[in-house]
């Protein structure tokens, strides 16, 4: 969903639906195009190329400091690491239309164990996760409980069911 380009001018984000405080998100990326290892090597990336209205609206809500789970789609189908929003929404330099936005994110740390989609799908606390309900959505908000459940699963501990 994204390409590698330098960020351009800032654009203020839209109003935030998430509860007060920092937001919690998940972004999906095909590891063949841009993997967690590529991300760590680069140290920061612009999240460009999103052309879905709901995902775009989610990008607009992201704020600097928000936590982001990095999910490998297609191959692997698992959450592999934690990132952080480094720059809020600005016009996507890969788009011809100014309605599309990008954000910058930076890696924080890998999970001790990848959290597989199969594990996520059958965990009772994750049954409403957009990853399950809207599988094509590339940028999605998470609740605190969903985020913490995935982190617990990725730490190598059994999550409470």
């Amino acid at each position: 969903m994204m390409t590698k380009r330098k960020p351009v001018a800032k654009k203020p984000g839209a109003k935030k639906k998430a509860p007060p405080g920092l937001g919690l998100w998940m972004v999906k990326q095909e590891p063949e195009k841009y993997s967690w290892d590529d991300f760590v090597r680069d140290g920061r990336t612009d999240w460009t190329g999103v052309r879905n209205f709901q995902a775009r609206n989610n990008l607009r809500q992201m704020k600097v400091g928000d936590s982001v789970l990095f999910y490998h789609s297609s191959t692997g189908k698992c959450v592999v690491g934690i990132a952080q929003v480094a720059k809020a929404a600005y016009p996507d330099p890969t788009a011809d239309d100014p309605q599309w936005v990008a954000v910058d994110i930076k890696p924080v740390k890998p999970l001790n164990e990848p959290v597989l989609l199969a594990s996520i799908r059958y965990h009772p606390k994750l049954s409403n996760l957009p990853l399950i309900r809207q599988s094509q959505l590339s940028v999605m908000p998470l609740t605190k409980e969903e985020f913490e459940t995935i982190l617990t699963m990725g730490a190598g501990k059994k999550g409470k069911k």
Side-chain angles (χ1 to χ4, degrees):
M1 290 293 302
M2 56 144 230
T3 57
K4 296 295 297 153
R5 297 217 19 186
K6 233 19 185 158
V8 292
K10 261 188 183 176
K11 181 177 181 182
K15 63 183 176 182
K16 193 172 183 176
K17 292 181 193 172
L22 295 179
L24 303 170
W25 306 94
M26 181 182 291
V27 296
K28 293 168 52 179
Q29 179 61 41
E30 296 172 5
E32 301 83 12
K33 292 184 180 177
Y34 194 73
S35 69
W36 173 260
D37 291 338
D38 295 328
F39 183 36
V40 170
R41 180 196 65 232
D42 293 346
R44 180 174 172 144
T45 193
D46 50 353
W47 209 257
T48 60
V50 173
R51 299 296 182 267
N52 170 286
F53 289 104
Q54 187 175 1
R56 178 211 55 199
N57 293 342
N58 291 335
L59 285 172
R60 286 180 174 170
Q61 293 177 35
M62 290 179 153
K63 304 291 182 228
V64 172
D66 284 0
S67 294
V68 181
L69 294 178
F70 193 101
Y71 179 86
H72 277 171
S73 61
S74 70
T75 304
K77 295 186 179 181
C78 57
V79 179
V80 294
I82 306 167
Q84 186 176 56
V85 176
K87 183 177 180 181
Y90 58 90
D92 185 336
T94 69
D96 294 331
D97 186 335
Q99 73 173 321
W100 301 110
V101 298
V103 299
D104 287 3
I105 61 174
K106 61 184 179 182
V108 174
K109 68 177 186 175
L111 297 181
N112 291 338
E113 294 180 14
V115 180
L116 299 173
L117 176 61
S119 300
I120 292 169
R121 184 179 308 278
Y122 298 107
H123 196 294
K125 290 183 178 179
L126 302 175
S127 62
N128 290 317
L129 193 72
L131 181 66
I132 308 296
R133 302 252 177 221
Q134 297 173 280
S135 62
Q136 298 302 309
L137 191 60
S138 63
V139 180
M140 61 200 73
L142 301 176
T143 66
K144 183 177 180 183
E145 182 177 47
E146 291 165 343
F147 192 87
E148 290 176 353
T149 299
I150 293 170
L151 289 185
T152 298
M153 295 167 75
K157 303 174 199 166
K158 295 272 184 198
K160 293 181 181 177
K161 291 192 177 188

